[in-house]
């Protein structure tokens, strides 16, 4: 595992020396590395303080690269963790604007990636595609020496396309196939913390359990920059895979680990996913009441953060569980609420063909989710 604790200790010494000698460049450098390392260790509150101090120092000295990194990547990721997606989008927008002003490709790639991810979580898919494509265009020239930037862009774009419609599966395969090839290189694999999570969930959605198992395993065991921040997604996906294989005790154990990890580090943005996944695990064992509790908990958190895609899915799964408990009227209510979330997503499309493709995909998925209740 990457030794970010040592980075922090070393940078503390650099900061002390920089303050003593008045070396402003080294001061913002050390502060920036400290903020980044704290983020990667899930020490978000400390990371925010360090990132804000880095931003102030960078603005004072005109250190645009560190200002861009804090605004375009570190601070918005902390906002996402806190469930403040609107603030994350706005802060990353500041970083993107500054990066565009000075032509900083890394900054454009990072800030556009973060903005695209926020928009994906909110179900604003057309806007997410624009940001993902901008990230891809900025990252492409960096492919030969910093391929991990491109891994993030490719992974995000493929995920957006698949969430819109499985009709784009060829495009998804093209984007994610490129990302997989890049991650065969150790430098490209640095982007695997995010990349393997995105690709693993897409493989799971497409029914490729073997590939999903491989990718989630890599994410949990291979040292990458974002392995700690993305760990709940790997655990949640692994839990669902165990459940699909009929390994119910393992599924519950891993799903509970995902919840505990999320709670320990207060990763609010991950709560809907891990709770929804736990509900799926419980539903597979026939524990309908507990599963319903998991789905409704996921929906409550998703609604609070305006995460519409996971919101409609959690509500639909709640609708599927309620009849087994004799709560038919609740099932109708949950399904109606799921359709409301879907309609809110559909209403944001400008392209009618994309909207129709999305709605058709939702109807197919709803039929699958509701099949047990209808049976």
């Amino acid at each position: 595992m990457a030794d970010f604790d040592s980075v922090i200790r070393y940078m503390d010494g650099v900061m002390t020396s920089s303050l003593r000698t008045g070396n402003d460049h080294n001061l913002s450098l050390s502060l920036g590395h400290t903020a980044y390392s704290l983020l990667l260790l899930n020490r978000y509150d400390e990371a925010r303080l360090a990132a804000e101090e880095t931003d102030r120092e960078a603005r004072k000295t005109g250190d645009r690269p560190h200002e861009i990194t804090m605004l375009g990547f570190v601070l918005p990721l902390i906002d996402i963790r806190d469930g403040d997606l609107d603030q994350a989008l706005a802060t990353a927008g500041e970083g993107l604007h500054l990066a565009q002003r000075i032509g900083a490709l890394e900054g454009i790639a990072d800030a556009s990636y973060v903005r695209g991810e926020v928009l994906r979580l909110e179900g604003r898919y057309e806007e997410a595609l624009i940001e993902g494509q901008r990230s891809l265009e900025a990252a492409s020239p960096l492919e030969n020496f910093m391929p991990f930037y491109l891994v993030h862009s490719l992974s995000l774009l493929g995920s957006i396309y698949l969430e819109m419609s499985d009709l784009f599966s060829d495009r998804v395969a093209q984007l994610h196939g490129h990302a997989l090839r890049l991650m065969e290189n150790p430098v490209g694999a640095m982007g695997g913390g995010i990349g393997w999570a995105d690709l693993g969930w897409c493989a799971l959605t497409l029914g490729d359990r073997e590939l999903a198992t491989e990718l989630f395993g890599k994410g949990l065991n291979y040292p990458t920059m974002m392995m700690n921040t993305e760990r709940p997604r790997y655990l949640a996906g692994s839990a669902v895979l165990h459940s699909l294989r009929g390994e119910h005790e393992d599924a519950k154990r891993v799903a509970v680990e995902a919840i505990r990890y999320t709670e320990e580090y207060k990763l609010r943005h991950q709560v809907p996913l891990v709770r929804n996944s736990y509900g799926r695990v419980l539903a597979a064992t026939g524990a309908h009441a507990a599963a319903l509790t998991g789905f409704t908990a996921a929906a409550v958190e998703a609604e609070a953060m305006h995460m519409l895609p996971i919101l409609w899915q959690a509500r639909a799964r709640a609708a599927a569980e309620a009849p087994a408990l004799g709560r038919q009227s609740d099932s109708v209510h949950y399904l109606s609420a799921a359709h409301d979330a879907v309609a809110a997503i559909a209403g944001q499309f400008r392209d009618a063909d994309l909207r129709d493709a999305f709605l058709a995909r939702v109807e197919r998925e709803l039929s699958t989710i509701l099949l047990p209740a209808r049976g």
Side-chain angles (χ1 to χ4, degrees):
M1 181 176 173
D3 189 2
F4 298 115
D5 287 304
S6 293
V7 173
I8 293 170
R9 286 193 295 272
Y10 175 75
M11 287 302 164
D12 281 343
V14 175
M15 275 188 278
T16 301
S17 174
S18 300
L19 287 168
R20 187 173 60 249
T21 61
N23 189 326
D24 291 333
H25 171 74
N26 278 356
L27 179 58
S28 60
L29 173 70
S30 57
L31 284 168
H33 277 295
T34 297
Y36 208 135
S37 297
L38 288 167
L39 169 72
L40 300 181
L41 288 168
N42 284 337
R43 292 164 59 180
Y44 291 92
D45 296 335
E46 297 169 82
R48 181 181 292 281
L49 293 175
E52 289 173 346
E53 188 175 358
T54 304
D55 183 49
R56 286 193 297 271
E57 186 65 27
R59 289 173 189 261
K60 183 178 72 175
T61 62
D63 183 351
R64 295 293 176 255
H66 282 98
E67 185 180 354
I68 290 167
T69 299
M70 296 303 110
L71 292 173
F73 196 71
V74 176
L75 282 168
L77 287 184
I78 299 169
D79 291 328
I80 292 172
R81 173 262 190 172
D82 291 340
D84 194 345
L85 302 188
D86 289 341
Q87 184 59 57
L89 197 63
T91 303
E94 288 185 58
L96 174 61
H97 179 67
L98 184 55
Q100 289 173 319
R101 274 177 47 197
I102 68 171
L105 292 179
E106 301 98 318
I108 295 170
D110 267 346
S112 294
Y113 162 77
V114 171
R115 284 176 56 82
E117 176 65 6
V118 170
L119 292 164
R120 182 190 70 81
L121 290 171
E122 293 183 331
R124 295 162 62 179
Y125 292 123
E126 278 184 300
E127 295 173 84
L129 281 178
I130 292 171
E131 295 292 347
Q133 187 61 41
R134 178 165 35 227
S135 180
L136 180 71
E137 291 170 0
S140 292
L142 309 174
E143 179 174 2
N144 289 333
F145 55 101
M146 287 189 289
F148 51 87
Y149 282 106
L150 192 55
V151 167
H152 292 170
S153 308
L154 293 164
S155 303
L156 171 65
L157 272 173
S159 299
I160 296 166
Y161 274 113
L162 187 57
E163 285 192 25
M164 284 197 302
S165 175
D166 48 12
L167 296 176
F168 299 118
S169 56
D170 288 346
R171 179 66 173 144
V172 175
Q174 179 187 24
L175 292 163
H176 283 181
H178 190 175
L180 279 172
R181 290 191 295 275
L182 289 176
M183 288 187 286
E184 292 173 359
N185 180 301
V187 182
M190 291 170 64
I194 289 172
W196 287 320
D198 284 344
L199 273 60
W201 274 97
C202 285
L204 181 57
T205 299
L206 292 169
D208 192 338
R209 298 181 190 177
E210 183 178 350
L211 179 58
T213 299
E214 176 187 346
L215 296 173
F216 290 148
K218 285 183 176 180
L220 288 169
N221 297 297
Y222 190 98
T224 63
M225 292 184 293
M226 306 297 289
M227 67 181 301
N228 293 323
T229 60
E230 297 298 316
R231 186 172 178 81
R233 287 212 287 163
Y234 289 112
L235 291 169
S238 298
V240 172
L241 279 170
H242 280 301
S243 179
L244 290 171
R245 291 194 292 260
E247 301 162 357
H248 299 302
E249 289 306 312
D250 285 336
K252 285 190 282 187
R253 174 181 55 78
V254 176
V256 168
E257 183 182 350
I259 291 172
R260 288 175 176 167
Y261 189 92
T262 300
E263 291 175 345
E264 179 181 358
Y265 294 106
K266 301 178 182 177
L267 307 176
R268 189 181 177 197
H269 68 297
Q270 301 281 19
V271 172
L273 176 67
V274 300
R275 287 289 178 184
N276 191 61
S277 297
Y278 188 40
R280 293 175 65 177
V281 166
L282 293 169
T285 68
H288 300 294
L292 181 59
T293 298
F295 293 136
T296 54
V300 167
E301 286 297 321
E303 184 176 23
M305 292 179 281
H306 204 64
M307 295 169 65
L308 296 179
I310 192 71
L311 175 60
W312 80 256
Q313 293 168 39
R315 284 173 170 173
R317 291 188 181 279
E321 293 305 304
L325 301 168
R327 297 169 57 178
Q328 190 61 45
S329 61
D330 286 341
S331 178
V332 172
H333 168 73
Y334 291 137
L335 185 56
S336 175
H339 280 298
D340 288 343
V342 170
I345 296 173
Q348 297 176 110
F349 282 98
R350 294 184 179 182
D351 187 303
D353 291 335
L354 288 179
R355 179 176 60 248
D356 290 345
F358 167 72
L359 289 173
R361 174 243 165 176
V362 169
E363 286 307 311
R364 289 191 293 273
E365 188 166 346
L366 277 173
S367 296
T368 301
I369 291 172
L370 297 172
L371 187 61
R374 290 171 177 167

